[in-house]
Amino acid sequence: MFSVRDMGVDLGTANTLVYVKGKGIVLREPSVVAMRTDTGAIEAVGTEAKQMIGRTPGNIVAVRPLKDGVIADFQTTSTMLRHFIRQAMKTKSNWSGKPRVMISVPSGITAVEKRAVEDAALEAGAKDAQTIEEPMAAAIGAGLPVGEPTGSMVVDIGGGTTEVAIISLGGIVTSRSIRVAGDELDEAIIQYIKKSYNLMIGERTAEELKIQIGTAIPGLEEGQMDIRGRDLLTGLPKNFTVNAKEIGEALSDTVSSIIEAVKVTLEKSPPELAADIMDRGIVLTGGGALLRHLDKRLSDETGMPVVVAENPLDCVAVGTGKALDNYDVYRRRSAMMRKAQGRA
Ligand SMILES: Nc1ncnc2c1ncn2[C@@H]1O[C@H](COP(=O)(O)OP(=O)(O)OP(=O)(O)O)[C@@H](O)[C@H]1O
């Protein structure tokens, strides 16, 4: 007899990751679904669907169902979640029964949406499902001592949302979630290129520019990249070269918004916890933490030490996996919250 292995799912706006207890991360796919507009039938999910963004014929659309940091399209989110959970179950030949699933969700989603995410996991074959707030999962995954009476601060910069939280004794003391993260950085690049060069580029090209030559401090990076866009005057494709300084300038205001959210959260922190954070430093997680010199700029502007977590893209998924060890605690907590909401 093999034991059932439980699963943690990072249901992100940009990427979905599945962590299987005892195996680690077994699935890592973009949170994208391609569907036929006429019948609603699913054409592709994940990497294959992401490649279709901006390239679909009229009868197919490639959508990101969680694009704006919330579940924008619930039905499609459920379908995608089901697909990934089933795929992850196939990666292990010796499942003996149904797994319990811990799913991280953006902290801004409603109780009804949380319930619906859990239902989607049940439909996919889970025995039971619970949700955990993304910044809590990120902090656990980054190895912060969340259960201790000491303040830890995590800034999770994903695709759709930046979640800033101060955690102590297993709970979120104060937090802020803004819809400014990787997608907004990409959009800032699109707007900059449009304004400076009269050229239109797609969101995937903008993301590539950000990843390859982006910087949070303009002037600190060398480098350039050749790209292709559409000339807005002639309507024709055109090749051109952009340098790191320009991309740094394009990103600067959006980076400032993220830093402002961190400052506001710090200002609301009880003094004892602020002192703990001063000792340990602010921990950056999520793909956005990989933007060059973001740690330095945040440290310069807040006067606090800042560290980038090891494998920032994996922290939330690893955190959901570790949270499986306390599955019953989360289960009891959400049952209590549901009861309290029912009474209110
Ligand atoms: N090297 C890099 N530099 C800058 N940004 C990066 C880098 N690598 C990935 N990203 C960005 O990180 C974002 C995805 O991060 P992540 O997978 O943590 O998000 P998510 O968890 O899906 O989103 P959310 O937390 O909003 O639900 C994308 O916007 C991507 O462009």
Side-chain angles (χ1 to χ4, degrees):
M1 271 303 286
F2 297 105
S3 64
V4 173
R5 298 206 189 166
D6 294 332
M7 229 183 235
V9 181
D10 166 9
L11 182 61
T13 59
N15 301 298
T16 297
L17 279 70
V18 179
Y19 178 102
V20 172
K21 225 173 150 183
K23 282 193 95 178
I25 294 169
V26 297
L27 181 143
R28 187 192 299 271
E29 295 264 359
S31 307
V32 184
V33 179
M35 318 183 271
R36 297 192 77 87
T37 46
D38 42 2
T39 60
I42 305 293
E43 283 287 313
V45 182
T47 307
E48 202 189 330
K50 185 173 181 182
Q51 277 157 4
M52 294 181 182
I53 290 183
R55 297 198 173 106
T56 50
N59 59 342
I60 296 176
V61 279
V63 294
R64 290 180 48 194
L66 290 113
K67 187 163 179 161
D68 298 315
V70 287
I71 300 183
D73 176 345
F74 191 74
Q75 201 50 48
T76 314
T77 302
S78 301
T79 307
M80 183 180 81
L81 184 60
R82 264 200 310 274
H83 177 91
F84 289 145
I85 290 179
R86 286 193 183 142
Q87 210 168 311
M89 285 176 77
K90 276 191 215 147
T91 61
K92 187 177 170 297
S93 50
N94 52 357
W95 287 100
S96 67
K98 296 177 165 190
R100 293 181 305 180
V101 181
M102 178 74 82
I103 308 163
S104 80
V105 288
S107 58
I109 79 168
T110 64
V112 174
E113 284 177 322
K114 263 188 201 167
R115 193 56 191 261
V117 168
E118 290 167 3
D119 287 347
L122 297 178
E123 266 183 61
K127 180 171 68 179
D128 192 39
Q130 284 298 311
T131 54
I132 176 171
E133 290 184 328
E134 215 168 19
M136 179 59 90
I140 298 172
L144 290 170
V146 294
E148 290 172 23
T150 177
S152 297
M153 185 170 197
V154 67
V155 180
D156 181 61
I157 308 165
T161 52
T162 294
E163 311 243 6
V164 187
I166 294 176
I167 296 168
S168 176
L169 282 170
I172 294 179
V173 179
T174 176
S175 69
R176 196 173 175 83
S177 173
I178 56 164
R179 290 185 194 175
V180 178
D183 295 341
E184 287 271 332
L185 292 169
D186 300 346
E187 184 57 33
I189 294 175
I190 293 176
Q191 293 309 325
Y192 179 91
I193 303 284
K194 196 167 158 190
K195 215 167 133 201
S196 315
Y197 291 89
N198 246 320
L199 284 159
M200 196 63 202
I201 57 167
E203 55 187 85
R204 296 200 52 211
T205 305
E207 185 184 27
E208 232 179 290
L209 279 167
K210 174 185 70 178
I211 292 174
Q212 298 302 328
I213 58 170
T215 166
I217 305 181
L220 270 197
E221 278 295 311
E222 301 280 310
Q224 56 185 37
M225 200 177 133
D226 298 328
I227 52 167
R228 188 172 292 173
R230 184 163 54 83
D231 191 320
L232 286 170
L233 298 176
T234 64
L236 297 172
K238 191 173 168 182
N239 293 326
F240 61 108
T241 305
V242 191
N243 67 42
K245 186 161 183 286
E246 292 173 287
I247 297 302
E249 279 161 9
L251 298 176
S252 196
D253 285 353
T254 313
V255 171
S256 294
S257 309
I258 294 173
I259 292 175
E260 197 48 40
V262 178
K263 283 186 181 165
V264 171
T265 314
L266 270 174
E267 280 162 16
K268 282 198 274 165
S269 166
E272 298 289 354
L273 297 186
D276 296 338
I277 296 162
M278 190 73 196
D279 284 342
R280 186 168 299 113
I282 300 170
V283 176
L284 301 183
T285 63
L290 292 167
L291 182 67
R292 284 169 204 85
H293 310 302
L294 180 62
D295 49 348
K296 178 168 170 31
R297 183 157 161 200
L298 185 57
S299 181
D300 289 349
E301 294 195 24
T302 58
M304 307 285 274
V306 177
V307 285
V308 177
E310 213 176 297
N311 304 320
L313 279 157
D314 296 354
C315 286
V316 173
V318 171
T320 56
K322 288 190 185 166
L324 286 167
D325 294 337
N326 295 313
Y327 192 86
D328 292 332
V329 176
Y330 286 94
R331 194 164 204 280
R332 276 199 298 275
R333 199 180 288 168
S334 66
M336 268 160 58
M337 279 169 72
R338 249 175 231 146
K339 232 178 177 174
Q341 275 157 358
R343 262 190 248 121

